[in-house]
Short mmCIF file of all heavy atoms in Angstrom, two decimals:
data_model
loop_
_atom_site.label_atom_id
_atom_site.label_comp_id
_atom_site.label_asym_id
_atom_site.label_seq_id
_atom_site.Cartn_x
_atom_site.Cartn_y
_atom_site.Cartn_z
N SER A 1142 96.83 128.33 103.05
CA SER A 1142 96.20 127.54 104.21
C SER A 1142 97.04 126.38 104.73
O SER A 1142 96.99 125.96 105.83
CB SER A 1142 94.79 126.95 103.82
OG SER A 1142 94.07 128.14 103.25
N PHE A 1143 97.80 125.70 103.78
CA PHE A 1143 98.53 124.53 104.15
C PHE A 1143 99.98 124.71 104.17
O PHE A 1143 100.79 123.89 104.55
CB PHE A 1143 98.25 123.39 103.07
CG PHE A 1143 96.85 123.02 103.12
CD1 PHE A 1143 95.97 123.38 102.22
CD2 PHE A 1143 96.41 122.12 104.03
CE1 PHE A 1143 94.61 122.94 102.12
CE2 PHE A 1143 95.11 121.65 104.23
CZ PHE A 1143 94.16 122.07 103.14
N LYS A 1144 100.57 125.98 103.93
CA LYS A 1144 102.03 126.20 103.94
C LYS A 1144 102.66 125.95 105.25
O LYS A 1144 103.75 125.54 105.40
CB LYS A 1144 102.25 127.60 103.50
CG LYS A 1144 103.60 127.78 102.98
CD LYS A 1144 103.79 127.03 101.64
CE LYS A 1144 105.15 127.46 101.03
NZ LYS A 1144 105.63 126.48 100.12
N SER A 1145 101.85 126.19 106.39
CA SER A 1145 102.40 126.01 107.76
C SER A 1145 102.13 124.61 108.28
O SER A 1145 102.58 124.41 109.45
CB SER A 1145 101.79 127.13 108.69
OG SER A 1145 100.44 126.91 108.81
N LEU A 1146 101.67 123.77 107.44
CA LEU A 1146 101.44 122.34 107.93
C LEU A 1146 102.73 121.81 108.27
O LEU A 1146 103.73 121.73 107.48
CB LEU A 1146 100.73 121.61 106.82
CG LEU A 1146 100.51 120.12 107.06
CD1 LEU A 1146 99.32 119.87 108.00
CD2 LEU A 1146 100.18 119.40 105.83
N PRO A 1147 102.82 121.20 109.53
CA PRO A 1147 104.21 120.56 109.78
C PRO A 1147 104.25 119.12 109.26
O PRO A 1147 103.17 118.55 108.88
CB PRO A 1147 104.11 120.42 111.40
CG PRO A 1147 102.63 120.35 111.65
CD PRO A 1147 101.94 121.11 110.60
N SER A 1148 105.35 118.49 109.27
CA SER A 1148 105.50 117.07 108.96
C SER A 1148 104.91 116.39 110.12
O SER A 1148 105.37 116.67 111.22
CB SER A 1148 106.96 116.79 108.70
OG SER A 1148 107.53 117.36 107.69
N VAL A 1149 104.13 115.39 109.78
CA VAL A 1149 103.49 114.64 110.94
C VAL A 1149 103.47 113.21 110.69
O VAL A 1149 103.44 112.80 109.61
CB VAL A 1149 102.05 115.05 111.20
CG1 VAL A 1149 101.95 116.52 111.73
CG2 VAL A 1149 101.17 114.94 110.01
N LYS A 1150 103.50 112.40 111.75
CA LYS A 1150 103.34 110.96 111.71
C LYS A 1150 102.08 110.78 112.36
O LYS A 1150 101.82 111.17 113.57
CB LYS A 1150 104.46 110.24 112.54
CG LYS A 1150 104.34 108.79 112.52
CD LYS A 1150 105.23 108.20 111.47
CE LYS A 1150 105.19 106.69 111.56
NZ LYS A 1150 106.28 106.08 110.96
N TYR A 1151 101.12 110.13 111.72
CA TYR A 1151 99.69 110.01 112.17
C TYR A 1151 99.38 108.52 112.34
O TYR A 1151 99.50 107.70 111.53
CB TYR A 1151 98.81 110.59 111.08
CG TYR A 1151 97.31 110.66 111.45
CD1 TYR A 1151 96.89 111.45 112.52
CD2 TYR A 1151 96.50 109.73 110.83
CE1 TYR A 1151 95.50 111.41 112.80
CE2 TYR A 1151 95.09 109.81 111.20
CZ TYR A 1151 94.61 110.59 112.17
OH TYR A 1151 93.35 110.59 112.50
N GLN A 1152 99.01 108.18 113.61
CA GLN A 1152 98.58 106.71 113.87
C GLN A 1152 97.14 106.76 114.38
O GLN A 1152 96.87 107.47 115.16
CB GLN A 1152 99.51 106.12 114.98
CG GLN A 1152 99.17 104.68 115.14
CD GLN A 1152 100.11 104.05 116.21
OE1 GLN A 1152 100.95 104.83 116.88
NE2 GLN A 1152 99.92 102.74 116.36
N SER A 1153 96.39 105.87 113.74
CA SER A 1153 95.04 105.81 113.97
C SER A 1153 94.41 104.54 113.58
O SER A 1153 94.82 103.99 112.54
CB SER A 1153 94.33 107.07 113.31
OG SER A 1153 92.90 106.83 113.32
N PRO A 1154 93.28 104.05 114.15
CA PRO A 1154 92.66 102.82 113.62
C PRO A 1154 92.00 103.20 112.20
O PRO A 1154 91.87 102.27 111.46
CB PRO A 1154 91.44 102.68 114.65
CG PRO A 1154 91.89 103.38 115.92
CD PRO A 1154 92.84 104.47 115.52
N LEU A 1155 91.80 104.41 111.86
CA LEU A 1155 91.41 104.80 110.53
C LEU A 1155 92.39 104.33 109.59
O LEU A 1155 92.01 103.82 108.48
CB LEU A 1155 91.22 106.31 110.41
CG LEU A 1155 91.01 106.81 109.00
CD1 LEU A 1155 89.66 106.38 108.45
CD2 LEU A 1155 91.12 108.36 108.94
N VAL A 1156 93.72 104.43 109.92
CA VAL A 1156 94.76 104.02 108.86
C VAL A 1156 94.53 102.52 108.76
O VAL A 1156 94.61 102.01 107.61
CB VAL A 1156 96.15 104.37 109.38
CG1 VAL A 1156 97.15 103.82 108.45
CG2 VAL A 1156 96.17 105.92 109.52
N THR A 1157 94.44 101.79 109.81
CA THR A 1157 94.31 100.27 109.64
C THR A 1157 93.08 99.92 108.92
O THR A 1157 93.11 99.04 108.04
CB THR A 1157 94.29 99.72 111.14
OG1 THR A 1157 95.55 100.07 111.82
CG2 THR A 1157 94.24 98.15 111.08
N GLN A 1158 92.02 100.62 109.15
CA GLN A 1158 90.78 100.40 108.52
C GLN A 1158 90.96 100.66 106.92
O GLN A 1158 90.47 99.80 106.10
CB GLN A 1158 89.77 101.33 108.98
CG GLN A 1158 88.37 100.85 109.18
CD GLN A 1158 87.46 101.87 109.81
OE1 GLN A 1158 87.81 102.99 110.17
NE2 GLN A 1158 86.20 101.40 110.13
N CYS A 1159 91.60 101.79 106.54
CA CYS A 1159 91.79 101.99 105.17
C CYS A 1159 92.69 101.08 104.44
O CYS A 1159 92.59 100.87 103.24
CB CYS A 1159 92.33 103.47 105.07
SG CYS A 1159 91.15 104.67 105.34
N PHE A 1160 93.63 100.46 105.23
CA PHE A 1160 94.54 99.54 104.66
C PHE A 1160 94.15 98.04 104.94
O PHE A 1160 94.99 97.21 104.74
CB PHE A 1160 96.02 99.78 105.19
CG PHE A 1160 96.66 101.00 104.64
CD1 PHE A 1160 96.47 102.22 105.25
CD2 PHE A 1160 97.20 100.89 103.42
CE1 PHE A 1160 97.12 103.30 104.71
CE2 PHE A 1160 97.86 102.11 102.79
CZ PHE A 1160 97.72 103.14 103.50
N ARG A 1161 92.98 97.79 105.29
CA ARG A 1161 92.63 96.43 105.69
C ARG A 1161 92.88 95.52 104.37
O ARG A 1161 92.30 95.67 103.44
CB ARG A 1161 91.16 96.32 106.03
CG ARG A 1161 90.84 94.96 106.56
CD ARG A 1161 89.49 94.96 107.30
NE ARG A 1161 89.66 95.72 108.51
CZ ARG A 1161 89.86 95.14 109.79
NH1 ARG A 1161 89.92 93.83 109.74
NH2 ARG A 1161 89.97 95.81 110.84
N ASN A 1162 93.81 94.62 104.55
CA ASN A 1162 94.14 93.58 103.59
C ASN A 1162 94.68 92.42 104.37
O ASN A 1162 95.69 92.49 104.96
CB ASN A 1162 95.19 94.21 102.75
CG ASN A 1162 95.69 93.22 101.68
OD1 ASN A 1162 95.48 92.03 101.76
ND2 ASN A 1162 96.44 93.70 100.63
N PRO A 1163 93.83 91.33 104.32
CA PRO A 1163 94.12 90.20 105.15
C PRO A 1163 95.54 89.67 104.98
O PRO A 1163 96.23 89.09 105.86
CB PRO A 1163 93.09 89.12 104.79
CG PRO A 1163 92.02 89.91 104.18
CD PRO A 1163 92.59 91.17 103.59
N SER A 1164 96.19 89.82 103.80
CA SER A 1164 97.53 89.29 103.54
C SER A 1164 98.65 90.02 104.19
O SER A 1164 99.69 89.38 104.54
CB SER A 1164 97.78 89.24 102.04
OG SER A 1164 97.92 90.54 101.51
#
Side-chain angles (χ1 to χ4, degrees):
S1142 302
F1143 293 103
K1144 203 62 172 162
S1145 62
L1146 179 73
S1148 298
V1149 294
K1150 180 96 175 204
Y1151 181 75
Q1152 183 179 8
S1153 166
L1155 169 68
V1156 176
T1157 304
Q1158 221 175 2
C1159 289
F1160 284 96
R1161 187 165 291 260
N1162 177 343
S1164 67

